[in-house]
């Protein structure tokens, strides 16, 4: 294995030396994706989710959802709140909330690993606004897709609970509503998004290399498109999926699985939580979500040519002053937090 990794590293080094323009173009496109898609859809909700947990407000704010869920899943209401936030906030939210509970020693490593199996999902902003519109030409299709993914997580949560009780130590009843909790939430969200965006940029170079050596062309020849393969590596590439009758279950499976890039992001943010069961659960969730989404594909009515009219590639380094300032502020917060530590 070491020899294989060494050979791959040398080949990648050669690619970067002899094809620097391709690599630079891939990095530029990935940075643009982060500016246009990842930061706007994840940063605010990640910061809000962390603040709700740090302050303790999520035990009250989400009670209309967590109370019935706690009866259905037979889980602590606070764990149900983590489940809800993780499945509507985006992939990094669940692991950050569970890591915080682990740092506070309120949940064991084993139980945190079990909860990770179901506290994972792409937010509706990405599924509806990007996948629904780009692939299906319809926000309604995106909502159906999100519902299939959420239902898949519910099934996994029920299975996890069937394997035994999950213990959570009670928290202090007081709420932390001071400025320190707010600032810490912003800093933590900035660090999280920095890790996410760095992984996406890194994987863009890998996919550019695969395209250069002809892997994309091979998948195009064998399966008609390479979007499935690319999405398995980096899930944001799912927006390039061509519309077909099978697109709904395929997208549901890919979004529930998350892709290799997202799984590595979770590993980087896990704070030592074991992830073996989590990786296995992603394969199971992909199958379950695809099965749930299969009958939904019959409800799609996309007129010919509508999808191609909607899809428009994002130009590398597109000019957007507001989003650029947001990223600069996020980097400043990250550096300030590092200096304080």
């Amino acid at each position: 294995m070491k020899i294989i990794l060494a050979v791959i590293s040398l080949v990648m080094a050669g690619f970067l030396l002899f094809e620097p323009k391709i690599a630079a173009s891939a990095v530029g496109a990935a940075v643009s994706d982060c500016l246009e898609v990842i930061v706007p859809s994840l940063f605010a909700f990640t910061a809000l989710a962390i603040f709700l947990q740090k302050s303790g407000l999520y035990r009250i704010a989400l009670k209309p959802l967590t109370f019935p869920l706690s009866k259905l899943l037979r889980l602590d209401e606070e764990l149900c709140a983590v489940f809800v936030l993780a499945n509507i906030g985006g992939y990094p939210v669940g692991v950050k909330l569970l890591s915080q509970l682990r740092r506070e020693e309120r949940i064991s490593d084993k139980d945190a690993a079990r909860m990770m199996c179901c506290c994972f999902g792409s937010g509706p902003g990405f599924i509806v606004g990007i996948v629904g519109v780009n692939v299906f030409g319809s926000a309604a299709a995106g909502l159906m897709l999100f519902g299939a993914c959420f239902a898949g997580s519910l099934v996994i949560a029920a299975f996890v609970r069937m394997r035994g009780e999950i213990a959570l130590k009670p928290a202090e009843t007081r709420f932390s509503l001071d400025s320190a909790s707010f600032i810490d939430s912003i800093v933590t969200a900035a660090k999280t998004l920095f890790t996410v965006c760095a992984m996406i940029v890194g994987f863009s170079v890998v996919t550019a290399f695969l395209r250069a050596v002809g892997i994309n062309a091979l998948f195009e020849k064998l399966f008609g498109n390479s979007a499935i393969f690319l999405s398995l590596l980096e899930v944001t590439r799912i927006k390039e999926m061509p519309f077909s009758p099978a697109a709904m279950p395929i997208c549901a499976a890919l979004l529930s699985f998350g892709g290799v890039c997202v799984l590595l992001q979770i590993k980087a943010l896990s704070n030592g939580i074991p992830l073996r069961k989590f990786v296995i659960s992603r394969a199971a969730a992909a199958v379950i979500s695809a099965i749930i989404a299969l009958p939904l594909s019959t409800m799609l009515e996309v007129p010919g040519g509508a999808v191609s009219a909607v899809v428009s590639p994002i130009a590398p380094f597109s000019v957007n002053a507001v989003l650029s300032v947001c990223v600069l502020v996020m980097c400043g917060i990250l550096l300030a937090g590092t200096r304080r530590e």
Side-chain angles (χ1 to χ4, degrees):
M1 178 60 71
K2 292 180 180 179
I3 295 176
I4 295 174
L5 291 176
V7 171
I8 293 174
S9 299
L10 288 174
V11 173
M12 282 295 298
F15 168 69
L16 295 174
L17 286 172
F18 292 104
E19 297 291 350
K21 291 184 178 180
I22 295 178
S25 178
V27 170
V31 171
S32 181
D33 277 351
C34 290
L35 283 170
E36 302 285 350
V37 178
I38 303 302
V39 174
S41 64
L42 286 183
F43 180 72
F45 200 97
T46 301
L48 176 62
I50 294 170
F51 175 73
L52 287 173
Q53 186 193 42
K54 284 181 176 294
S55 64
L57 288 175
Y58 74 147
R59 295 194 294 271
I60 296 176
L62 297 177
K63 199 169 185 65
L65 294 175
T66 59
F67 180 74
L69 268 180
S70 67
K71 301 302 180 184
L72 176 66
L73 300 175
R74 293 182 295 120
L75 281 173
D76 185 282
E77 280 195 50
E78 190 169 349
L79 289 178
C80 289
V82 173
F83 170 82
V84 171
L85 290 172
N87 280 279
I88 66 175
Y91 295 118
V93 172
V95 67
K96 291 304 297 182
L97 298 181
L98 289 170
S99 296
Q100 182 63 31
L101 292 177
R102 186 67 200 96
R103 279 192 294 270
E104 295 171 359
E105 298 184 349
R106 297 184 55 207
I107 191 172
S108 66
D109 282 340
K110 179 181 177 181
D111 286 343
R114 292 172 62 200
M115 284 299 301
M116 269 301 304
C117 294
C118 58
C119 292
F120 178 87
S122 180
F126 177 73
I127 296 180
V128 177
I130 304 299
V131 183
V133 172
N134 282 4
V135 178
F136 303 100
S138 166
L143 286 173
M144 290 190 290
L145 188 58
F146 174 74
C149 294
F150 191 86
S153 291
L154 272 176
V155 173
I156 295 295
F159 179 78
V160 167
R161 182 61 184 85
M162 287 170 57
R163 304 290 294 179
E165 185 179 356
I166 298 179
L168 180 69
K169 295 180 181 178
E172 296 181 9
T173 54
R174 68 183 183 86
F175 298 101
S176 301
L177 302 177
D178 54 3
S179 58
S181 296
F182 177 76
I183 294 171
D184 286 344
S185 301
I186 299 296
V187 170
T188 304
K191 291 179 179 179
T192 301
L193 265 293
F194 183 85
T195 301
V196 169
C197 292
M199 291 296 297
I200 291 173
V201 171
F203 260 75
S204 71
V205 179
V206 175
T207 55
F209 167 74
L210 295 175
R211 185 183 295 108
V213 299
I215 298 296
N216 286 22
L218 177 62
F219 274 83
E220 289 279 357
K221 186 175 181 179
L222 293 176
F223 304 107
N225 72 82
S226 60
I228 296 176
F229 171 69
L230 294 175
S231 300
L232 282 172
L233 291 179
E234 208 287 285
V235 74
T236 62
R237 303 299 295 272
I238 198 173
K239 65 181 183 290
E240 301 171 12
M241 184 77 63
F243 176 79
S244 71
M248 179 67 77
I250 290 173
C251 287
L254 290 170
L255 289 165
S256 289
F257 179 69
V260 176
C261 181
V262 171
L263 296 182
L264 291 177
Q265 293 169 23
I266 299 301
K267 176 65 177 176
L269 299 170
S270 63
N271 196 31
I273 297 175
L275 296 178
R276 183 176 63 85
K277 292 180 180 179
F278 164 73
V279 175
I280 296 173
S281 74
R282 286 304 91 210
V287 174
I288 294 168
S289 298
I291 293 173
I292 295 172
L294 188 59
L296 299 177
S297 59
T298 61
M299 302 170 61
L300 296 176
E301 296 182 3
V302 180
V307 176
S308 60
V310 173
V311 179
S312 57
I314 299 173
F317 293 105
S318 59
V319 179
N320 191 322
V322 175
L323 293 177
S324 300
V325 170
C326 287
V327 172
L328 290 174
V329 171
M330 188 175 73
C331 292
I333 293 171
L334 174 61
L335 294 173
T338 304
R339 179 181 179 184
R340 184 181 61 181
E341 291 173 0

